[in-house]
Amino acid sequence: MVDRPGLRKILSWNLLRRTGANVAVLATLIEREKPDLVLMQEATKEIAGLKDRLGGDYAWAPLPGRIHGPALWSPTPFLAPPIIVELPSGAMFDRVCQILDLGGFGVANVHLSHGQMLNRRQLRRIAENLPDCAAVIGDYNLVGPPMLAGFRDVGPRLPTHAMARLVPLRLDRCLVRGLTCHASAVLPRGPSDHRPIIVHLSPTPLQARRPDRDAARSSFDRFAMRISASLRGRARRP
């Protein structure tokens, strides 16, 4: 077996509040997949029962004025409580993300807005709060490329959601910086309207890692940086 220091198996799932996956369903999935970290979106207060059922560590960040929000579960104690980052607000309600320190890298648990300009602004805010080695994982509500300079999309390529039960979309994604993805998968949907995803991540060895400024020189990242600058300029206009 190849030694991969810092390797983490991470599972992410939008649970679908109230009518979707519950503690029993989650516990069964965790016992089968044995992840090192579980990221959840649309978790309600009842999901805290996961800690009573399986032990480990748990943190929940309900969205302002809502009954649900992102949550994290780990079979081992967190190194530190997750950081809560407030994201640029949409017309409907405010959103936050959780950032957890895994020691070798940071992980942002996200459930972004549906607006295609807004969710990209939210990604940039999240990236500003991440360490050099980091992953952004969760429900992106995003169509097309994320346009986040310095990050690579390494998540599974299969659809994870069917809009109106007809149009397949890959909404659940994983972007990384300074990390290597060794494997990824989309799991069966279960009771939620999203399918869980799994990624196996570890820090990329320093000798194989390009500096961020060099990584941003690819043609796509240069394009992303131009678009980002244009959007920031528009946002500043009265």
Side-chain angles (χ1 to χ4, degrees):
M1 178 180 288
V2 177
D3 184 23
R4 292 168 176 155
L7 181 66
R8 297 288 187 273
K9 180 179 182 180
I10 301 175
L11 186 154
S12 175
W13 196 10
N14 184 325
L15 305 181
L16 183 59
R17 61 190 181 278
R18 287 182 174 164
T19 59
N22 57 23
V23 169
V25 171
L26 277 166
T28 299
L29 180 62
I30 290 169
E31 288 168 345
R32 184 180 76 229
E33 295 294 335
K34 296 179 172 53
D36 299 300
L37 179 66
V38 178
L39 315 182
M40 293 159 277
Q41 302 88 45
E42 294 198 17
T44 57
K45 63 180 181 181
E46 290 80 11
I47 302 301
L50 193 60
K51 184 174 180 179
D52 298 328
R53 177 123 176 201
L54 296 180
D57 214 342
Y58 179 84
W60 180 48
L63 302 183
R66 310 291 288 184
I67 66 167
H68 65 88
L72 300 163
W73 178 86
S74 168
T76 57
F78 299 145
L79 295 177
I83 297 169
I84 308 302
V85 176
E86 296 181 359
L87 303 182
S89 299
M92 297 181 64
F93 55 89
D94 298 331
R95 292 184 185 262
V96 302
C97 87
Q98 296 170 298
I99 295 179
L100 186 67
D101 180 9
L102 290 183
F105 59 95
V107 174
N109 178 21
V110 303
H111 187 188
L112 304 179
S113 295
H114 291 83
Q116 296 304 295
M117 291 179 65
L118 177 59
N119 54 25
R120 287 168 171 85
R121 284 178 55 211
Q122 292 170 341
L123 279 174
R124 294 195 297 273
R125 172 71 58 81
I126 292 164
E128 292 170 355
N129 289 274
L130 290 172
D132 290 341
C133 294
V136 183
I137 309 173
D139 180 356
Y140 276 51
N141 278 318
L142 186 122
V143 178
M147 297 188 295
L148 189 62
F151 282 78
R152 295 178 297 114
D153 187 341
V154 300
R157 293 301 192 263
L158 294 176
T160 62
H161 177 74
M163 184 174 66
R165 299 188 178 183
L166 294 174
V167 183
L169 297 171
R170 188 172 70 95
L171 298 186
D172 301 88
R173 303 193 186 189
C174 173
L175 296 180
V176 301
R177 177 175 65 193
L179 300 176
T180 298
C181 182
H182 302 279
S184 66
V186 174
L187 303 181
R189 190 176 73 179
S192 174
D193 58 345
H194 285 250
R195 299 173 67 183
I197 66 170
I198 283 181
V199 290
H200 299 248
L201 304 176
S202 70
T204 303
L206 286 174
Q207 62 270 25
R209 191 186 310 164
R210 293 182 301 175
D212 290 342
R213 66 180 63 183
D214 291 338
R217 289 175 185 169
S218 72
S219 59
F220 181 80
D221 275 347
R222 287 198 301 269
F223 171 74
M225 292 172 74
R226 289 197 299 271
I227 294 296
S228 296
S230 174
L231 294 176
R232 286 196 297 271
R234 292 181 185 181
R236 294 191 190 104
R237 294 172 187 170

